[in-house]
Amino acid sequence: MLYLIRHGQTDWNLMNKIQGQYDVPLNDTGRGQAINVTDKLSRLNLEYIISSDLSRASETAQIIGNKLNIRVDYDARLREYDFGILTGMTRNMLDPNSEQAFFTNPTHFNAESFEDAFVRVGKFLESVDYNKNILVVTHGGVINFILCYLENRDNFQPYMYYQKCLHTKINNSAILRIKNLESGMSILKNTHFFALPKSK
């Protein structure tokens, strides 16, 4: 079973800034979220943790790993999507035309192509052992790509990711789970989240 959580809160989360791959640390609330979520995680018999190497995720993972006494490994494939020159902007700074231009061709904004991000996330998902209980600590954008991968696999459409970006909002420290690559993603009971779409 693969369990996933989004990293704890950062100051940029509070300011609604686009973080991308900029290395924004946790704030005190985020550290508290990482501590609090271990109560739920302690019941899952986790064997180890795999985390994005960006500090907001890696610190979340280290806090959990230290409290549960399990090891943490790092995988750059779990880094947040790279938003290029949009990094550091607030969402309300983007007018509809700029947003549409970005989702039409993100590489014009020095951002990662959607296809490249989809491939790296897919390769990670294909590499893990679903017979083990593994916790993955990652980012909201990566969780969106995981949803797209579970629903579309080799038939990735950038517009599908565009829809997920707009409509899937996972709280900091929400816990999700994937039984295997043939299953959808579900939310662990009593974990807060917003509008997770159902898998097809």
Side-chain angles (χ1 to χ4, degrees):
M1 185 87 72
L2 202 65
Y3 294 93
L4 303 98
I5 68 168
R6 185 183 173 203
H7 60 80
Q9 187 188 85
T10 71
D11 286 343
W12 279 29
N13 286 144
L14 287 177
M15 293 184 284
N16 207 23
K17 280 188 174 185
I18 296 170
Q19 298 182 106
Q21 294 190 3
Y22 191 74
D23 207 8
V24 185
L26 293 180
N27 59 22
D28 288 341
T29 297
R31 294 183 187 97
Q33 289 170 334
I35 292 168
N36 292 336
V37 79
T38 57
D39 289 337
K40 292 185 177 69
L41 294 172
S42 65
R43 308 166 197 162
L44 303 180
N45 297 316
L46 296 171
E47 297 176 60
Y48 60 94
I49 300 170
I50 308 175
S51 174
S52 159
D53 56 357
L54 295 177
S55 63
R56 58 192 183 271
S58 64
E59 186 178 0
T60 301
Q62 282 293 343
I63 291 169
I64 295 168
N66 289 341
K67 287 188 71 67
L68 299 181
N69 196 29
I70 53 178
R71 84 171 195 265
V72 179
D73 297 327
Y74 301 95
D75 195 319
R77 292 176 295 185
L78 293 171
R79 288 180 182 177
E80 180 60 289
Y81 174 77
D82 184 354
F83 284 88
I85 63 174
L86 299 189
T87 302
M89 296 178 67
T90 57
R91 305 284 176 175
N92 61 11
M93 292 171 67
L94 296 177
D95 63 78
N97 290 333
S98 296
E99 187 174 280
Q100 184 62 48
F102 176 81
F103 282 102
T104 299
N105 193 343
T107 59
H108 283 173
F109 294 77
N110 293 325
E112 187 176 12
S113 77
F114 294 140
E115 290 80 2
D116 286 349
F118 182 78
V119 166
R120 69 173 163 90
V121 169
K123 285 182 176 178
F124 171 78
L125 290 173
E126 294 283 357
S127 73
V128 296
D129 183 355
Y130 292 86
N131 293 314
K132 295 183 176 180
N133 288 333
I134 303 168
L135 177 67
V136 171
V137 184
T138 188
H139 307 266
V142 172
I143 292 171
N144 282 307
F145 277 111
I146 289 172
L147 279 167
C148 288
Y149 187 83
L150 293 175
E151 293 189 7
N152 297 276
R153 298 294 180 86
D154 296 331
N155 189 31
F156 174 69
Q157 298 294 327
Y159 189 72
M160 174 65 74
Y161 180 68
Y162 177 72
Q163 288 181 313
K164 299 293 185 187
C165 264
L166 291 180
H167 302 301
T168 304
K169 298 187 184 299
I170 306 297
N171 276 4
N172 296 104
S173 296
I175 307 171
L176 308 97
R177 59 187 168 192
I178 303 172
K179 292 182 180 179
N180 53 57
L181 285 180
E182 304 308 314
S183 69
M185 185 185 292
S186 59
I187 297 285
L188 200 67
K189 187 177 180 181
N190 298 326
T191 301
H192 296 293
F193 68 99
F194 296 111
L196 183 70
K198 293 181 179 178
S199 297
K200 292 179 181 177

